[in-house]
C-alpha cells in the first residue's frame, strides 16, 4: 500500500490575474491544465501502491494510467501544431521554441512509461509497483519544471501588444473544432475533471 515514502509532486500556483481577461487567462488556464497532469501522475504514484495484482482494480487502474498518458500527448500535440504556431505568428518566430525543446527533454522516458502501461494491460501478471513508480519518477522532475517554466512564456502584457481579441476568438473556434475531432469525450474530460482545480470558486 502507499506509504509516507511515496514521493509526490507539488502543483503549480495559479498566476495572479483576471481569468475573464483573455490575455491574463492564457497563463491561468495553462496552469490549471498543467496541474491536471501533475495530479494525474501523483494519483498514479499513490494508487500504484494500493492496487493488487490479479484484481479487476488493477485493470481499471492501468486503463486510467493510459488515459493520463494520452491526455498529456494530446495536450503537447495541440501546443506544437496549433497553439505555439498561433502565438509565434503574432509575436515572432522562435518565441515558443524553448517549450518544444522542453517537450523533447522528457519524451523518451515518458514514452517508455506509456509503453510499459500498454504492456501491462496485455500482460497484467508482470505488474511491479516499484518498476511502475520508477518509470514515472524518471521523467516527472523534468516535466514538472517544464510545466512551471512554460507559464512564463505567456506574459499577458506581451500578448496584449501583438494579438487582438478577434485573433483569439478565431483561434478558439478552430481549436474547439479540433478538440471535437480528436478528444474522446467519454474519457478525456473525466480525467481532467477528477484532477482539476477551480478559480475563484467557479
Amino acid at each position: 500500500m502507499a506509504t509516507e515514502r511515496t514521493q509526490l509532486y507539488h502543483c503549480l500556483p495559479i498566476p495572479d490575474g483576471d481569468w475573464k481577461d483573455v490575455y491574463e487567462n492564457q497563463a491561468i488556464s495553462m496552469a490549471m491544465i498543467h496541474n491536471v497532469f501533475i495530479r494525474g501522475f501523483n494519483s498514479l504514484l499513490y494508487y500504484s501502491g494500493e492496487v493488487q495484482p490479479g484484481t479487476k482494480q488493477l485493470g481499471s487502474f492501468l486503463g486510467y494510467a493510459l488515459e493520463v498518458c494520452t491526455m498529456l500527448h494530446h495536450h503537447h500535440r495541440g501546443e506544437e501544431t496549433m497553439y505555439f504556431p498561433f502565438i509565434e505568428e503574432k509575436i515572432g518566430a522562435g518565441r515558443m521554441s524553448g517549450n518544444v525543446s522542453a517537450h523533447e527533454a522528457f519524451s523518451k522516458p515518458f514514452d517508455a512509461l506509456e509503453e510499459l502501461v500498454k504492456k501491462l494491460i496485455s500482460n497484467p501478471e508482470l505488474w511491479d509497483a516499484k518498476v511502475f513508480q520508477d518509470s514515472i519518477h524518471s521523467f516527472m522532475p523534468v516535466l514538472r519544471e517544464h510545466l512551471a517554466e512554460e507559464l512564463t512564456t505567456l506574459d499577458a502584457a506581451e500578448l496584449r501588444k501583438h494579438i487582438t481579441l478577434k485573433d483569439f476568438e478565431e483561434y478558439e473556434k478552430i481549436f474547439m473544432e479540433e478538440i471535437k475531432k480528436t478528444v474522446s469525450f467519454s474519457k478525456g474530460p473525466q480525467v481532467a475533471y477528477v484532477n482539476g482545480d477551480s478559480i475563484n470558486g467557479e
Side-chain angles (χ1 to χ4, degrees):
M1 62 182 295
T3 69
E4 294 179 357
R5 299 182 63 186
T6 302
Q7 179 187 347
L8 303 178
Y9 297 86
H10 290 291
C11 285
L12 307 176
I14 303 299
D16 293 332
D18 181 0
W19 65 272
K20 296 179 181 179
D21 180 293
V22 67
Y23 300 99
E24 295 178 357
N25 190 49
Q26 298 305 303
I28 292 172
S29 60
M30 189 68 79
M32 292 178 71
I33 190 64
H34 284 181
N35 281 343
V36 166
F37 301 128
I38 294 172
R39 289 194 186 95
F41 288 113
N42 277 345
S43 68
L44 294 180
L45 288 167
Y46 181 85
Y47 286 107
S48 61
E50 298 285 332
V51 295
Q52 298 299 316
T55 64
K56 291 182 178 180
Q57 285 77 14
L58 176 59
S60 297
F61 173 80
L62 293 171
Y64 167 70
L66 186 59
E67 287 305 316
V68 173
C69 292
T70 297
M71 191 171 185
L72 182 60
H73 268 309
H74 186 275
H75 175 70
H76 284 158
R77 184 164 54 250
E79 287 183 328
E80 294 176 7
T81 63
M82 296 186 67
Y83 188 61
F84 293 161
F86 163 72
I87 297 294
E88 287 194 340
E89 181 184 4
K90 305 299 181 182
I91 70 175
R95 298 290 290 274
M96 299 286 117
S97 60
N99 293 334
V100 177
S101 297
H103 291 176
E104 297 170 354
F106 59 81
S107 62
K108 287 186 178 180
F110 170 65
D111 289 344
L113 168 68
E114 186 174 36
E115 288 305 310
L116 174 63
V117 172
K118 291 177 180 178
K119 180 179 180 180
L120 290 170
I121 288 175
S122 299
N123 304 278
E125 69 278 4
L126 300 178
W127 171 253
D128 184 311
K130 187 176 186 306
V131 170
F132 181 85
Q133 293 167 0
D134 287 347
S135 184
I136 295 177
H137 289 310
S138 70
F139 67 84
M140 194 60 198
V142 177
L143 172 61
R144 202 294 182 172
E145 181 179 5
H146 157 66
L147 296 177
E149 291 180 347
E150 191 171 85
L151 301 183
T152 65
T153 67
L154 299 174
D155 179 69
E158 184 71 9
L159 297 177
R160 206 182 301 272
K161 290 179 184 177
H162 303 281
I163 307 177
T164 68
L165 289 174
K166 184 177 180 180
D167 289 333
F168 272 118
E169 289 172 358
E170 292 178 349
Y171 169 78
E172 187 70 16
K173 291 178 182 177
I174 296 172
F175 176 73
M176 291 308 298
E177 287 301 315
E178 185 65 19
I179 288 291
K180 292 176 183 178
K181 296 176 184 177
T182 58
V183 171
S184 169
F185 284 91
S186 65
K187 297 177 181 179
Q190 295 183 49
V191 174
Y193 181 78
V194 299
N195 291 299
D197 52 6
S198 62
I199 288 294
N200 299 325
E202 299 186 21

